[in-house]
Amino acid sequence: MSDPRPTIAAIATAIVPQQGSVGIVRLSGDDALAIARTLFQAPGHQVWESHRILYGAIRHPDSGQVIDEALLLIMLAPRSFTREDVVELHCHGGIAVVQQVLQLCLAQGARLAEPGEFTLRAFLNGRLDLTQAESIADLVGARSPQAAQTALAGLQGKLAAPIRQLRGTCLEILAEIEARIDFEEDLPPLDEAKIQAQLAAALETVQQLLATADRGELLRTGLKVAIVGRPNVGKSSLLNAWSRSDRAIVTSLPGTTRDVVESQLIVGGIPVQVLDTAGIRDTQDQVEQIGVARSRHAAQQADLVLLTIDAQSGWTAADELIYQQVQERPVILVVNKIDLVAADCLKTLPDLGAILQIVTTAAAHDQGIEGLEAAILATVQHHNLHAANLDFAINQRQGATLIRAQMALQQVQETLAAQLPLDFWSIDLRTAIQELGTITGEAVTESVLDQIFSRFCIGK
């Protein structure tokens, strides 16, 4: 390590008023244990040693006033998350006590940690590579079990392994080339066929990694689905049946829904934000007009539109008008109230080539929801969001960097095919090696680190 870094402190748990049972204040750095000894009084003959939990009280160092009854967890370097001395004060949850304890730590010389600074120190001290550090942020923000598993795979190094292998291949080729540049007369001719095969295999691996980007983005950000349609076709009933709650008010009066109602669901492991919108129609009601405008905006911003119609009315001119407004988005047609009509009613629907799926539901009776979810997953697959078979997924930064590495490797192939001098080969190989190193952190700039860790929460 370089110069000693100041001891940092932060609240490491979410603090929810009147709800949190435990609040943790974490310190990391050379003075972490000394600060803990100043503030924490452990009765009896408890031993202050690494990886031991002590029971006691947190006291104000000047007045001796007891701030909280707490536990102290000690993790000394290098056997800690940051590979520095780390202590955690486990207090009773809530805002007042935890904030007091944090302020006492700061008064004893600690500095308030910046967003992601604990994880940044773990990276700088060699505890994690950059893909693992980013996976921690993904794990904290995971919105579904599948998203958490994907992040955990990255934390376990499953993404870093193929990247390092790719970089090793590039370094091996570069070494062969530079050896020929310096000692051409003393070495056998370069095996160009072998290098071509190595480059082809490397590019195939890059393509496989890039194929995980869409799925990774889907798991991280989720799918935004808008339920649109005429008033009183059962959009709110559909949302309530789907979410198994009374999120939206349902009446027989058209125009009941005046604003966009949201619900968060998980479909096939994918986080889904469902938007129940106001019925789209011409109206003189000023409030309803605002709701209709918001409905149109929600449909335009959605990843997927559920165009809902009334099976009793069939396809109407008003449905056609709404369809014209949303057809640029992926559309699933939901024929609701199917329990009130004959089974062959779908034969009267017009030919809508842009409609991806047609689903029948009886939302008032909780029927057809499984078919709707299956249609959504089929639509997601149709758009190649499940193209990759890997258990990890790259993020946006990693994808952009991989694309630059891919372009550099393709340029090496073109240089080789054109029989250009070896010096030209090495230029693009060095670019590919640099880009791959940026993904794992083996070759990364301070500005990139600032950009990555600024998105972390404080205390992580």
Side-chain angles (χ1 to χ4, degrees):
M1 272 178 56
S2 56
D3 296 335
R5 303 184 186 97
T7 298
I8 55 175
I11 299 171
T13 49
I15 302 301
V16 181
Q18 301 178 347
Q19 294 185 30
S21 59
V22 177
I24 298 175
V25 176
R26 177 180 295 151
L27 297 99
S28 179
D30 293 343
D31 297 328
L33 191 60
I35 292 173
R37 285 186 177 277
T38 303
L39 302 178
F40 191 83
Q41 182 178 18
H45 302 286
Q46 301 179 63
V47 181
W48 288 63
E49 62 184 17
S50 187
H51 293 76
R52 182 179 287 269
I53 297 177
L54 308 183
Y55 160 77
I58 300 171
R59 293 180 178 273
H60 194 289
D62 297 328
S63 66
Q65 177 187 357
V66 175
I67 305 300
D68 192 18
E69 185 179 18
L71 298 176
L72 176 69
L73 173 60
I74 304 171
M75 295 167 284
L76 300 182
R79 297 171 56 208
S80 72
F81 176 66
T82 61
R83 284 194 174 166
E84 300 173 341
D85 288 348
V86 172
V87 297
E88 291 182 352
L89 293 159
H90 292 228
C91 316
H92 288 93
I95 294 177
V97 170
V98 181
Q99 285 286 2
Q100 283 186 75
V101 173
L102 174 62
Q103 291 304 318
L104 287 177
C105 293
L106 299 181
Q108 296 304 306
R111 172 176 62 75
L112 184 64
E114 297 176 0
E117 190 170 1
F118 288 95
T119 307
L120 175 60
R121 291 193 176 195
F123 165 71
L124 293 174
N125 292 332
R127 172 71 171 74
L128 304 168
D129 68 33
L130 204 49
T131 65
Q132 292 174 306
E134 289 177 291
S135 294
I136 289 175
D138 291 338
L139 188 59
V140 171
R143 297 166 56 190
S144 71
Q146 282 74 8
Q149 284 299 313
T150 299
L152 188 60
L155 182 57
Q156 292 171 339
K158 293 183 179 180
L159 172 57
I163 298 295
R164 287 202 176 94
Q165 188 174 2
L166 277 172
R167 195 166 186 263
T169 298
C170 293
L171 285 167
E172 180 183 336
I173 297 173
L174 181 62
E176 289 285 337
I177 291 170
E178 291 191 335
R180 291 334 186 266
I181 293 174
D182 295 334
F183 308 104
E184 183 177 8
E185 297 178 356
D186 302 325
L187 295 172
L190 198 63
D191 189 346
E192 294 188 11
K194 178 183 176 182
I195 291 178
Q196 286 175 334
Q198 288 177 308
L199 289 172
L203 283 166
E204 183 178 353
T205 300
V206 169
Q207 194 57 46
Q208 290 174 351
L209 292 171
L210 288 172
T212 69
D214 285 340
R215 175 163 173 77
E217 188 66 18
L218 185 66
L219 289 173
R220 291 182 187 97
T221 63
L223 191 70
K224 184 179 290 187
V225 176
I227 306 174
V228 303
R230 295 182 291 110
N232 214 30
V233 296
K235 299 184 299 299
S236 296
S237 295
L238 182 62
L239 174 65
N240 289 343
W242 196 4
S243 62
R244 295 176 176 82
S245 67
D246 293 329
R247 293 284 296 167
I249 298 173
V250 177
T251 74
S252 59
L253 300 175
T256 300
T257 302
R258 298 298 185 96
D259 204 349
V260 176
V261 179
E262 295 186 16
S263 188
Q264 304 292 333
L265 304 174
I266 303 294
V267 178
I270 300 171
V272 176
Q273 179 188 14
V274 185
L275 309 175
D276 172 29
T277 65
I280 298 176
R281 65 172 177 175
D282 291 331
T283 177
Q284 299 303 314
D285 187 309
Q286 188 173 6
V287 175
E288 191 176 354
Q289 285 177 350
I290 297 173
V292 170
R294 291 183 177 180
S295 297
R296 293 192 174 104
H297 179 74
Q300 292 165 359
Q301 300 298 315
D303 302 305
L304 177 64
V305 172
L306 304 182
L307 175 54
T308 308
I309 67 171
D310 186 337
Q312 292 179 293
S313 304
W315 187 261
T316 67
D319 295 322
E320 176 67 31
L321 183 61
I322 296 171
Y323 172 66
Q324 295 298 328
Q325 297 174 37
V326 302
Q327 63 179 335
E328 293 184 0
R329 314 303 302 166
V331 177
I332 292 177
L333 181 63
V334 180
V335 183
N336 192 33
K337 305 182 184 180
I338 195 68
D339 56 314
L340 302 178
V341 298
D344 61 351
C345 69
L346 295 183
K347 295 180 180 178
T348 63
L349 292 175
D351 182 18
L352 300 170
I355 296 288
L356 297 173
Q357 302 265 352
I358 298 178
V359 178
T360 58
T361 62
H365 302 288
D366 295 342
Q367 296 176 9
I369 301 303
E370 290 184 4
L372 175 61
E373 292 187 345
I376 290 173
L377 292 176
T379 302
V380 168
Q381 190 152 12
H382 177 77
H383 282 71
N384 294 322
L385 295 179
H386 282 274
N389 227 359
L390 304 174
D391 57 357
F392 57 80
I394 62 174
N395 61 28
Q396 190 175 32
R397 180 194 75 87
Q398 294 160 354
T401 307
L402 266 177
I403 288 173
R404 292 193 292 270
Q406 181 186 45
M407 293 172 61
L409 291 174
Q410 289 171 339
Q411 188 61 46
V412 176
Q413 282 186 321
E414 293 175 11
T415 302
L416 192 155
Q419 293 295 303
L420 294 176
L422 295 179
D423 302 75
F424 288 88
W425 300 23
S426 63
I427 293 173
D428 293 309
L429 272 171
R430 289 182 184 279
T431 299
I433 291 167
Q434 172 71 26
E435 296 296 346
L436 293 170
T438 300
I439 296 176
T440 58
E442 293 167 278
V444 67
T445 63
E446 187 174 344
S447 61
V448 171
L449 293 179
D450 289 341
Q451 181 182 11
I452 292 171
F453 289 100
S454 65
R455 296 194 292 266
F456 280 58
C457 58
I458 294 175
K460 178 47 77 175

